[in-house]
Amino acid sequence: MQGIFKPAVCALPLSIRTGKGSPYDDHFRDDRLAYSYRGTDPRHRDNVGLRECLRQGIPLVYLHAVSKGQYLVVAPVRIVQDEPQALRFWVQAESEQIELATPMLSGSLGGADIIDDARRAYSTRLVRQRLHQRGFRERVLAAYRDRCAMCSLRHRELLDAAHIKPDTAGGDPQVSNGLSLCKIHHAAFDIGVLGVRPDTLRIHVRRDVLDEVDGPMLRHGLQALEGERILLPTRVAQHPDPVLLQWKWDRYLDAG
């Protein structure tokens, strides 16, 4: 599948794609997506087609690879700037409920254009956040073969990609900063009811919860995990980062 897709029956491209392992440097910068030209010739027909989409304000579909063979679809997006000297276009997403003026090739923006640009920027920031979250989830769950690392639950719809060090604390969306956890163990891990000791990779339950007497969920769902070892991905490179586990373990100790 080509990065810039134009069916033979169409005059202009329909979609753009960012693939895994692509040789092109497609990346988000602030509230825009830098999308590379096809090749190095600004006059290549695919680049001319995107330039015409910019000129006419034609919307496109953006396909963002989150893992091999899996894409998230963002639509509509628009080309908002052309930089031939850098061999790239700039792309922004927009809300379907927002009417946008035709994007400008260059020059100053008027009042309406400033509002439209701000709305596109906001939409693109949301898209960027969701793509990162969804991509992180797909990579982590795939690494753990769609199982909870603590209880082995295999129902994918009940699994989350839990950050060891949250992004709000500077954690990166890397598999080594994640654990595949079912929703109850994700919540318990986040608030310090459960902890994973970094040197043994064994699960520990906060003392007050371990001593509590309640129903079968507490007894089997939490207390029975005491001393159990977490499941690990097959690839060593995807194992939890010991430094990040230590960071989380310190906070677990502080919690109880």
Side-chain angles (χ1 to χ4, degrees), residues 216-245:
M217 177 55 72
L218 177 67
R219 186 166 62 254
H220 299 294
L222 294 176
Q223 292 171 338
L225 293 176
E226 176 67 25
E228 293 293 320
R229 199 169 188 267
I230 63 170
L231 302 173
L232 294 173
T234 303
R235 293 176 53 196
V236 175
Q238 295 179 326
H239 287 191
D241 186 325
V243 174
L244 298 176
L245 281 178

PDB file of all heavy atoms in Angstrom, residues 216-245:
ATOM      1  N   PRO A 216     -15.265 -13.097  47.678  1.00  0.00           N
ATOM      2  CA  PRO A 216     -14.359 -13.854  46.802  1.00  0.00           C
ATOM      3  C   PRO A 216     -13.502 -12.986  45.878  1.00  0.00           C
ATOM      4  O   PRO A 216     -12.399 -13.387  45.532  1.00  0.00           O
ATOM      5  CB  PRO A 216     -15.302 -14.760  45.997  1.00  0.00           C
ATOM      6  CG  PRO A 216     -16.646 -14.117  46.107  1.00  0.00           C
ATOM      7  CD  PRO A 216     -16.675 -13.449  47.452  1.00  0.00           C
ATOM      8  N   MET A 217     -13.993 -11.821  45.458  1.00  0.00           N
ATOM      9  CA  MET A 217     -13.185 -10.969  44.586  1.00  0.00           C
ATOM     10  C   MET A 217     -11.918 -10.519  45.287  1.00  0.00           C
ATOM     11  O   MET A 217     -10.816 -10.559  44.717  1.00  0.00           O
ATOM     12  CB  MET A 217     -13.987  -9.754  44.117  1.00  0.00           C
ATOM     13  CG  MET A 217     -13.176  -8.782  43.258  1.00  0.00           C
ATOM     14  SD  MET A 217     -12.395  -9.559  41.821  1.00  0.00           S
ATOM     15  CE  MET A 217     -13.821  -9.837  40.794  1.00  0.00           C
ATOM     16  N   LEU A 218     -12.054 -10.092  46.535  1.00  0.00           N
ATOM     17  CA  LEU A 218     -10.867  -9.683  47.291  1.00  0.00           C
ATOM     18  C   LEU A 218      -9.946 -10.877  47.515  1.00  0.00           C
ATOM     19  O   LEU A 218      -8.735 -10.782  47.301  1.00  0.00           O
ATOM     20  CB  LEU A 218     -11.277  -9.072  48.636  1.00  0.00           C
ATOM     21  CG  LEU A 218     -10.115  -8.680  49.552  1.00  0.00           C
ATOM     22  CD1 LEU A 218      -9.317  -7.539  48.956  1.00  0.00           C
ATOM     23  CD2 LEU A 218     -10.632  -8.301  50.936  1.00  0.00           C
ATOM     24  N   ARG A 219     -10.547 -11.990  47.910  1.00  0.00           N
ATOM     25  CA  ARG A 219      -9.741 -13.151  48.279  1.00  0.00           C
ATOM     26  C   ARG A 219      -9.015 -13.736  47.065  1.00  0.00           C
ATOM     27  O   ARG A 219      -7.809 -14.005  47.123  1.00  0.00           O
ATOM     28  CB  ARG A 219     -10.638 -14.210  48.921  1.00  0.00           C
ATOM     29  CG  ARG A 219      -9.893 -15.413  49.485  1.00  0.00           C
ATOM     30  CD  ARG A 219     -10.783 -16.238  50.396  1.00  0.00           C
ATOM     31  NE  ARG A 219     -11.950 -16.800  49.709  1.00  0.00           N
ATOM     32  CZ  ARG A 219     -13.193 -16.359  49.859  1.00  0.00           C
ATOM     33  NH1 ARG A 219     -13.465 -15.319  50.651  1.00  0.00           N
ATOM     34  NH2 ARG A 219     -14.205 -16.934  49.212  1.00  0.00           N
ATOM     35  N   HIS A 220      -9.744 -13.931  45.968  1.00  0.00           N
ATOM     36  CA  HIS A 220      -9.140 -14.570  44.792  1.00  0.00           C
ATOM     37  C   HIS A 220      -8.551 -13.558  43.809  1.00  0.00           C
ATOM     38  O   HIS A 220      -7.560 -13.852  43.139  1.00  0.00           O
ATOM     39  CB  HIS A 220     -10.180 -15.431  44.072  1.00  0.00           C
ATOM     40  CG  HIS A 220     -10.736 -16.531  44.919  1.00  0.00           C
ATOM     41  ND1 HIS A 220      -9.975 -17.590  45.367  1.00  0.00           N
ATOM     42  CD2 HIS A 220     -11.990 -16.729  45.414  1.00  0.00           C
ATOM     43  CE1 HIS A 220     -10.722 -18.392  46.099  1.00  0.00           C
ATOM     44  NE2 HIS A 220     -11.950 -17.894  46.149  1.00  0.00           N
ATOM     45  N   GLY A 221      -9.187 -12.393  43.725  1.00  0.00           N
ATOM     46  CA  GLY A 221      -8.755 -11.421  42.720  1.00  0.00           C
ATOM     47  C   GLY A 221      -7.562 -10.590  43.128  1.00  0.00           C
ATOM     48  O   GLY A 221      -6.807 -10.132  42.266  1.00  0.00           O
ATOM     49  N   LEU A 222      -7.374 -10.390  44.445  1.00  0.00           N
ATOM     50  CA  LEU A 222      -6.263  -9.553  44.904  1.00  0.00           C
ATOM     51  C   LEU A 222      -5.338 -10.305  45.867  1.00  0.00           C
ATOM     52  O   LEU A 222      -4.148 -10.456  45.596  1.00  0.00           O
ATOM     53  CB  LEU A 222      -6.800  -8.280  45.571  1.00  0.00           C
ATOM     54  CG  LEU A 222      -7.540  -7.295  44.659  1.00  0.00           C
ATOM     55  CD1 LEU A 222      -8.104  -6.147  45.475  1.00  0.00           C
ATOM     56  CD2 LEU A 222      -6.625  -6.768  43.562  1.00  0.00           C
ATOM     57  N   GLN A 223      -5.878 -10.787  46.963  1.00  0.00           N
ATOM     58  CA  GLN A 223      -5.028 -11.393  47.989  1.00  0.00           C
ATOM     59  C   GLN A 223      -4.263 -12.612  47.472  1.00  0.00           C
ATOM     60  O   GLN A 223      -3.107 -12.840  47.866  1.00  0.00           O
ATOM     61  CB  GLN A 223      -5.877 -11.776  49.206  1.00  0.00           C
ATOM     62  CG  GLN A 223      -6.429 -10.565  49.953  1.00  0.00           C
ATOM     63  CD  GLN A 223      -7.452 -10.939  51.016  1.00  0.00           C
ATOM     64  OE1 GLN A 223      -8.063 -12.012  50.954  1.00  0.00           O
ATOM     65  NE2 GLN A 223      -7.650 -10.057  51.992  1.00  0.00           N
ATOM     66  N   ALA A 224      -4.881 -13.387  46.584  1.00  0.00           N
ATOM     67  CA  ALA A 224      -4.223 -14.598  46.075  1.00  0.00           C
ATOM     68  C   ALA A 224      -3.019 -14.290  45.196  1.00  0.00           C
ATOM     69  O   ALA A 224      -2.219 -15.187  44.896  1.00  0.00           O
ATOM     70  CB  ALA A 224      -5.230 -15.451  45.296  1.00  0.00           C
ATOM     71  N   LEU A 225      -2.868 -13.025  44.791  1.00  0.00           N
ATOM     72  CA  LEU A 225      -1.719 -12.655  43.953  1.00  0.00           C
ATOM     73  C   LEU A 225      -0.435 -12.463  44.762  1.00  0.00           C
ATOM     74  O   LEU A 225       0.652 -12.379  44.175  1.00  0.00           O
ATOM     75  CB  LEU A 225      -2.026 -11.360  43.184  1.00  0.00           C
ATOM     76  CG  LEU A 225      -3.124 -11.440  42.120  1.00  0.00           C
ATOM     77  CD1 LEU A 225      -3.381 -10.056  41.529  1.00  0.00           C
ATOM     78  CD2 LEU A 225      -2.753 -12.428  41.020  1.00  0.00           C
ATOM     79  N   GLU A 226      -0.545 -12.370  46.053  1.00  0.00           N
ATOM     80  CA  GLU A 226       0.634 -12.134  46.897  1.00  0.00           C
ATOM     81  C   GLU A 226       1.718 -13.182  46.605  1.00  0.00           C
ATOM     82  O   GLU A 226       1.508 -14.390  46.722  1.00  0.00           O
ATOM     83  CB  GLU A 226       0.260 -12.188  48.379  1.00  0.00           C
ATOM     84  CG  GLU A 226       1.424 -12.044  49.335  1.00  0.00           C
ATOM     85  CD  GLU A 226       2.088 -10.662  49.310  1.00  0.00           C
ATOM     86  OE1 GLU A 226       1.410  -9.678  48.933  1.00  0.00           O
ATOM     87  OE2 GLU A 226       3.263 -10.574  49.687  1.00  0.00           O
ATOM     88  N   GLY A 227       2.892 -12.683  46.196  1.00  0.00           N
ATOM     89  CA  GLY A 227       4.035 -13.552  45.939  1.00  0.00           C
ATOM     90  C   GLY A 227       4.086 -14.175  44.566  1.00  0.00           C
ATOM     91  O   GLY A 227       5.089 -14.816  44.208  1.00  0.00           O
ATOM     92  N   GLU A 228       3.022 -14.003  43.754  1.00  0.00           N
ATOM     93  CA  GLU A 228       3.029 -14.561  42.401  1.00  0.00           C
ATOM     94  C   GLU A 228       3.932 -13.720  41.491  1.00  0.00           C
ATOM     95  O   GLU A 228       4.058 -12.507  41.663  1.00  0.00           O
ATOM     96  CB  GLU A 228       1.613 -14.594  41.822  1.00  0.00           C
ATOM     97  CG  GLU A 228       0.671 -15.557  42.536  1.00  0.00           C
ATOM     98  CD  GLU A 228       1.073 -16.998  42.337  1.00  0.00           C
ATOM     99  OE1 GLU A 228       1.487 -17.353  41.208  1.00  0.00           O
ATOM    100  OE2 GLU A 228       0.975 -17.773  43.301  1.00  0.00           O
ATOM    101  N   ARG A 229       4.530 -14.370  40.518  1.00  0.00           N
ATOM    102  CA  ARG A 229       5.414 -13.677  39.583  1.00  0.00           C
ATOM    103  C   ARG A 229       4.613 -13.228  38.362  1.00  0.00           C
ATOM    104  O   ARG A 229       3.744 -13.960  37.879  1.00  0.00           O
ATOM    105  CB  ARG A 229       6.546 -14.596  39.145  1.00  0.00           C
ATOM    106  CG  ARG A 229       7.764 -13.892  38.551  1.00  0.00           C
ATOM    107  CD  ARG A 229       8.921 -14.875  38.411  1.00  0.00           C
ATOM    108  NE  ARG A 229      10.147 -14.200  38.014  1.00  0.00           N
ATOM    109  CZ  ARG A 229      10.547 -14.050  36.743  1.00  0.00           C
ATOM    110  NH1 ARG A 229       9.796 -14.540  35.757  1.00  0.00           N
ATOM    111  NH2 ARG A 229      11.677 -13.434  36.462  1.00  0.00           N
ATOM    112  N   ILE A 230       4.886 -12.026  37.885  1.00  0.00           N
ATOM    113  CA  ILE A 230       4.159 -11.530  36.720  1.00  0.00           C
ATOM    114  C   ILE A 230       4.581 -12.298  35.468  1.00  0.00           C
ATOM    115  O   ILE A 230       5.699 -12.817  35.365  1.00  0.00           O
ATOM    116  CB  ILE A 230       4.358 -10.015  36.505  1.00  0.00           C
ATOM    117  CG1 ILE A 230       5.811  -9.675  36.212  1.00  0.00           C
ATOM    118  CG2 ILE A 230       3.826  -9.215  37.676  1.00  0.00           C
ATOM    119  CD1 ILE A 230       6.028  -8.249  35.751  1.00  0.00           C
ATOM    120  N   LEU A 231       3.670 -12.366  34.518  1.00  0.00           N
ATOM    121  CA  LEU A 231       3.994 -12.919  33.206  1.00  0.00           C
ATOM    122  C   LEU A 231       4.822 -11.902  32.425  1.00  0.00           C
ATOM    123  O   LEU A 231       4.665 -10.688  32.603  1.00  0.00           O
ATOM    124  CB  LEU A 231       2.712 -13.228  32.443  1.00  0.00           C
ATOM    125  CG  LEU A 231       1.738 -14.197  33.119  1.00  0.00           C
ATOM    126  CD1 LEU A 231       0.447 -14.273  32.321  1.00  0.00           C
ATOM    127  CD2 LEU A 231       2.362 -15.568  33.268  1.00  0.00           C
ATOM    128  N   LEU A 232       5.684 -12.396  31.550  1.00  0.00           N
ATOM    129  CA  LEU A 232       6.567 -11.513  30.797  1.00  0.00           C
ATOM    130  C   LEU A 232       6.425 -11.753  29.298  1.00  0.00           C
ATOM    131  O   LEU A 232       6.089 -12.864  28.872  1.00  0.00           O
ATOM    132  CB  LEU A 232       8.024 -11.752  31.201  1.00  0.00           C
ATOM    133  CG  LEU A 232       8.416 -11.377  32.627  1.00  0.00           C
ATOM    134  CD1 LEU A 232       9.840 -11.832  32.920  1.00  0.00           C
ATOM    135  CD2 LEU A 232       8.281  -9.876  32.859  1.00  0.00           C
ATOM    136  N   PRO A 233       6.699 -10.741  28.490  1.00  0.00           N
ATOM    137  CA  PRO A 233       6.739 -10.943  27.039  1.00  0.00           C
ATOM    138  C   PRO A 233       7.850 -11.919  26.653  1.00  0.00           C
ATOM    139  O   PRO A 233       8.825 -12.098  27.393  1.00  0.00           O
ATOM    140  CB  PRO A 233       7.023  -9.534  26.493  1.00  0.00           C
ATOM    141  CG  PRO A 233       6.620  -8.598  27.577  1.00  0.00           C
ATOM    142  CD  PRO A 233       6.902  -9.324  28.859  1.00  0.00           C
ATOM    143  N   THR A 234       7.712 -12.501  25.487  1.00  0.00           N
ATOM    144  CA  THR A 234       8.734 -13.429  24.993  1.00  0.00           C
ATOM    145  C   THR A 234      10.046 -12.710  24.728  1.00  0.00           C
ATOM    146  O   THR A 234      11.123 -13.218  25.074  1.00  0.00           O
ATOM    147  CB  THR A 234       8.234 -14.120  23.709  1.00  0.00           C
ATOM    148  OG1 THR A 234       7.004 -14.793  23.981  1.00  0.00           O
ATOM    149  CG2 THR A 234       9.268 -15.114  23.202  1.00  0.00           C
ATOM    150  N   ARG A 235       9.974 -11.538  24.156  1.00  0.00           N
ATOM    151  CA  ARG A 235      11.179 -10.780  23.818  1.00  0.00           C
ATOM    152  C   ARG A 235      11.696 -10.039  25.048  1.00  0.00           C
ATOM    153  O   ARG A 235      10.961  -9.279  25.680  1.00  0.00           O
ATOM    154  CB  ARG A 235      10.883  -9.782  22.704  1.00  0.00           C
ATOM    155  CG  ARG A 235      10.547 -10.423  21.359  1.00  0.00           C
ATOM    156  CD  ARG A 235      10.167  -9.375  20.332  1.00  0.00           C
ATOM    157  NE  ARG A 235      11.195  -8.337  20.233  1.00  0.00           N
ATOM    158  CZ  ARG A 235      11.003  -7.154  19.663  1.00  0.00           C
ATOM    159  NH1 ARG A 235       9.801  -6.843  19.176  1.00  0.00           N
ATOM    160  NH2 ARG A 235      11.969  -6.271  19.603  1.00  0.00           N
ATOM    161  N   VAL A 236      12.972 -10.244  25.344  1.00  0.00           N
ATOM    162  CA  VAL A 236      13.581  -9.612  26.521  1.00  0.00           C
ATOM    163  C   VAL A 236      13.530  -8.096  26.411  1.00  0.00           C
ATOM    164  O   VAL A 236      13.335  -7.389  27.414  1.00  0.00           O
ATOM    165  CB  VAL A 236      15.038 -10.102  26.696  1.00  0.00           C
ATOM    166  CG1 VAL A 236      15.727  -9.353  27.837  1.00  0.00           C
ATOM    167  CG2 VAL A 236      15.070 -11.603  26.960  1.00  0.00           C
ATOM    168  N   ALA A 237      13.667  -7.575  25.193  1.00  0.00           N
ATOM    169  CA  ALA A 237      13.653  -6.125  24.999  1.00  0.00           C
ATOM    170  C   ALA A 237      12.328  -5.501  25.404  1.00  0.00           C
ATOM    171  O   ALA A 237      12.254  -4.292  25.647  1.00  0.00           O
ATOM    172  CB  ALA A 237      13.961  -5.788  23.543  1.00  0.00           C
ATOM    173  N   GLN A 238      11.272  -6.314  25.496  1.00  0.00           N
ATOM    174  CA  GLN A 238       9.950  -5.804  25.858  1.00  0.00           C
ATOM    175  C   GLN A 238       9.620  -6.023  27.340  1.00  0.00           C
ATOM    176  O   GLN A 238       8.542  -5.650  27.780  1.00  0.00           O
ATOM    177  CB  GLN A 238       8.877  -6.464  24.989  1.00  0.00           C
ATOM    178  CG  GLN A 238       8.997  -6.100  23.513  1.00  0.00           C
ATOM    179  CD  GLN A 238       7.936  -6.773  22.669  1.00  0.00           C
ATOM    180  OE1 GLN A 238       7.529  -7.905  22.944  1.00  0.00           O
ATOM    181  NE2 GLN A 238       7.487  -6.079  21.623  1.00  0.00           N
ATOM    182  N   HIS A 239      10.548  -6.601  28.085  1.00  0.00           N
ATOM    183  CA  HIS A 239      10.318  -6.785  29.514  1.00  0.00           C
ATOM    184  C   HIS A 239      10.232  -5.432  30.219  1.00  0.00           C
ATOM    185  O   HIS A 239      10.806  -4.436  29.746  1.00  0.00           O
ATOM    186  CB  HIS A 239      11.460  -7.602  30.130  1.00  0.00           C
ATOM    187  CG  HIS A 239      11.409  -9.051  29.762  1.00  0.00           C
ATOM    188  ND1 HIS A 239      12.189 -10.008  30.374  1.00  0.00           N
ATOM    189  CD2 HIS A 239      10.659  -9.730  28.841  1.00  0.00           C
ATOM    190  CE1 HIS A 239      11.945 -11.188  29.851  1.00  0.00           C
ATOM    191  NE2 HIS A 239      11.021 -11.051  28.910  1.00  0.00           N
ATOM    192  N   PRO A 240       9.550  -5.358  31.351  1.00  0.00           N
ATOM    193  CA  PRO A 240       9.470  -4.097  32.090  1.00  0.00           C
ATOM    194  C   PRO A 240      10.856  -3.568  32.449  1.00  0.00           C
ATOM    195  O   PRO A 240      11.725  -4.331  32.883  1.00  0.00           O
ATOM    196  CB  PRO A 240       8.679  -4.469  33.345  1.00  0.00           C
ATOM    197  CG  PRO A 240       7.920  -5.698  32.980  1.00  0.00           C
ATOM    198  CD  PRO A 240       8.774  -6.435  32.002  1.00  0.00           C
ATOM    199  N   ASP A 241      11.041  -2.287  32.258  1.00  0.00           N
ATOM    200  CA  ASP A 241      12.306  -1.630  32.579  1.00  0.00           C
ATOM    201  C   ASP A 241      12.514  -1.643  34.095  1.00  0.00           C
ATOM    202  O   ASP A 241      11.679  -1.112  34.832  1.00  0.00           O
ATOM    203  CB  ASP A 241      12.268  -0.193  32.053  1.00  0.00           C
ATOM    204  CG  ASP A 241      13.585   0.538  32.207  1.00  0.00           C
ATOM    205  OD1 ASP A 241      14.290   0.303  33.213  1.00  0.00           O
ATOM    206  OD2 ASP A 241      13.908   1.358  31.336  1.00  0.00           O
ATOM    207  N   PRO A 242      13.617  -2.233  34.604  1.00  0.00           N
ATOM    208  CA  PRO A 242      13.832  -2.299  36.051  1.00  0.00           C
ATOM    209  C   PRO A 242      13.875  -0.925  36.726  1.00  0.00           C
ATOM    210  O   PRO A 242      13.432  -0.783  37.873  1.00  0.00           O
ATOM    211  CB  PRO A 242      15.189  -3.010  36.181  1.00  0.00           C
ATOM    212  CG  PRO A 242      15.357  -3.747  34.896  1.00  0.00           C
ATOM    213  CD  PRO A 242      14.675  -2.917  33.852  1.00  0.00           C
ATOM    214  N   VAL A 243      14.398   0.060  36.027  1.00  0.00           N
ATOM    215  CA  VAL A 243      14.458   1.408  36.598  1.00  0.00           C
ATOM    216  C   VAL A 243      13.055   1.963  36.799  1.00  0.00           C
ATOM    217  O   VAL A 243      12.745   2.576  37.834  1.00  0.00           O
ATOM    218  CB  VAL A 243      15.291   2.340  35.691  1.00  0.00           C
ATOM    219  CG1 VAL A 243      15.231   3.783  36.198  1.00  0.00           C
ATOM    220  CG2 VAL A 243      16.736   1.862  35.611  1.00  0.00           C
ATOM    221  N   LEU A 244      12.183   1.729  35.823  1.00  0.00           N
ATOM    222  CA  LEU A 244      10.809   2.207  35.939  1.00  0.00           C
ATOM    223  C   LEU A 244      10.043   1.412  36.997  1.00  0.00           C
ATOM    224  O   LEU A 244       9.237   1.979  37.749  1.00  0.00           O
ATOM    225  CB  LEU A 244      10.109   2.101  34.586  1.00  0.00           C
ATOM    226  CG  LEU A 244      10.730   2.944  33.465  1.00  0.00           C
ATOM    227  CD1 LEU A 244      10.024   2.676  32.149  1.00  0.00           C
ATOM    228  CD2 LEU A 244      10.691   4.425  33.817  1.00  0.00           C
ATOM    229  N   LEU A 245      10.291   0.117  37.068  1.00  0.00           N
ATOM    230  CA  LEU A 245       9.659  -0.682  38.118  1.00  0.00           C
ATOM    231  C   LEU A 245      10.078  -0.207  39.500  1.00  0.00           C
ATOM    232  O   LEU A 245       9.276  -0.181  40.431  1.00  0.00           O
ATOM    233  CB  LEU A 245      10.005  -2.161  37.945  1.00  0.00           C
ATOM    234  CG  LEU A 245       9.234  -2.938  36.888  1.00  0.00           C
ATOM    235  CD1 LEU A 245       9.740  -4.381  36.828  1.00  0.00           C
ATOM    236  CD2 LEU A 245       7.725  -2.920  37.143  1.00  0.00           C
TER     237      LEU A 245
END
